[in-house]
Amino acid sequence: MQHTNTTDSTSLKLKGNWNEVKGKIKQKYADLTDNDLLREEGKDDELLGRIQKKTGQTKEQLKTWIDSL
């Protein structure tokens, strides 16, 4: 299933390179705060939900963009 692969690769990207990814997210979406971008182990969906709420992007759009970083 491609959805699972996207989710897995997004989670790996968030886990492995979080500081770099967070910086790029803040560059693109300057209105996001550090609290919006607080990442807790195993709660990537909550993180994506907070970003989605502030940006108006779908979770799939965000996952695709993060995977492309």
Side-chain angles (χ1 to χ4, degrees), residues 23-41:
K24 290 180 180 182
I25 291 171
K26 286 177 96 172
Q27 285 177 357
K28 183 167 175 123
Y29 302 107
D31 59 330
L32 290 171
T33 67
D34 285 332
N35 283 339
D36 293 327
L37 298 174
L38 182 63
R39 182 182 178 277
E40 295 179 50
E41 191 68 35

Side-chain angles (χ1 to χ4, degrees), residues 1-14 44-45 48 59-60 62-68:
M1 272 170 53
Q2 188 170 6
H3 177 73
T4 303
N5 290 342
T6 300
T7 301
D8 290 345
S9 64
T10 301
S11 292
L12 287 173
K13 181 81 104 175
L14 292 177
D44 290 340
D45 279 339
L48 288 172
K59 283 187 182 181
E60 286 305 315
L62 290 169
K63 288 176 184 178
T64 299
W65 179 70
I66 289 168
D67 287 343
S68 73

